[in-house]
Structure formats: C-alpha cells, structure tokens
C-alpha cells in the first residue's frame, strides 16, 4: 500500500451514481514517486497507480488537463524538494486542503 496526497479532485456528474467519467482524482506518493489516477464511481469506477515516468506519458495528459493539474507535473519536474515536508509546503501553496488516499 502507498500513501498518496490528493493533487486534484473534481466531480462534474455528482447526480449520476455510476458515472464512468466523473469524479476524477489524481494523487501522488512523494515517497514512491507514484501517481494514483482514478475516474468514475459505482460500477463505472476505475483506478490505477503507476510510476511517475509512466503517468507523464501523453495518454495520461487528459486527466491532468481535465483537473487543471498540469502545474503539478511542472512542479515535480522543476523543483528539488529537500524533504516530504518541503513537498507538502509547496503543494499546499496550490491547494486548499490536502487529502490522503491509501491504495
């Protein structure tokens, strides 16, 4: 199991109990350099975790774009974090509240 900090979450279809498109969630494990990507709910739910090198491939850009989170890819590519606390400080500068997912 990994611990992921939620980078972005959005539900454009809150009244559909089995949407395969929404909500979308992006999480990031600082310790493991892994992403958690999920989409849908109910019978439409799908989730996956993958190393950041795979998550940065063009086929996954759609979820980052849909959640206005391409800034996060730039942040992890262009910042040398000194610690997990440093990472969280920079993350909370972009998000109001950081939720945690274990997967």
């Amino acid at each position: 199991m990994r611990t992921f900090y939620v980078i972005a979450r959005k539900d454009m279809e809150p009244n559909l109990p089995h949407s395969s498109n929404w909500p979308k969630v992006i999480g990031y494990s600082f310790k493991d350099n892994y992403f958690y990507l999920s989409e849908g709910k109910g019978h439409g739910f799908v989730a996956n975790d993958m190393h950041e090198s795979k998550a940065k491939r063009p086929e996954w850009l759609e979820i980052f774009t849909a959640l206005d989170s391409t800034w996060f890819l730039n942040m992890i590519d262009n910042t040398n974090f000194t610690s997990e606390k440093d990472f969280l400080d920079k993350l909370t500068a972009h998000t109001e509240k950081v939720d945690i997912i274990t997967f």
Side-chain angles (χ1 to χ4, degrees), residues 38-56:
S38 75
E39 149 176 283
K41 58 189 159 199
H43 296 299
F45 177 74
V46 205
N48 194 4
D49 64 336
M50 64 188 79
H51 191 268
E52 73 177 51
S53 60
K54 183 176 179 184
K56 291 177 182 178

Side-chain angles (χ1 to χ4, degrees), residues 19-36:
S19 172
S20 60
N21 294 314
W22 296 97
K24 294 183 189 317
V25 178
I26 299 171
Y28 184 73
S29 171
F30 176 81
K31 180 181 174 186
D32 300 310
N33 298 90
Y34 261 66
F35 276 95
Y36 167 87

Side-chain angles (χ1 to χ4, degrees), residues 25-84:
V25 178
I26 299 171
Y28 184 73
S29 171
F30 176 81
K31 180 181 174 186
D32 300 310
N33 298 90
Y34 261 66
F35 276 95
Y36 167 87
L37 305 174
S38 75
E39 149 176 283
K41 58 189 159 199
H43 296 299
F45 177 74
V46 205
N48 194 4
D49 64 336
M50 64 188 79
H51 191 268
E52 73 177 51
S53 60
K54 183 176 179 184
K56 291 177 182 178
R57 292 181 187 166
E59 62 263 29
W60 297 106
L61 186 59
E62 181 181 327
I63 192 169
F64 288 94
T65 302
L67 295 179
D68 299 320
S69 297
T70 55
W71 63 267
F72 184 76
L73 297 173
N74 291 328
M75 184 178 89
I76 61 173
D77 284 345
N78 297 310
T79 307
N80 292 320
F81 303 105
T82 58
S83 64
E84 192 162 353

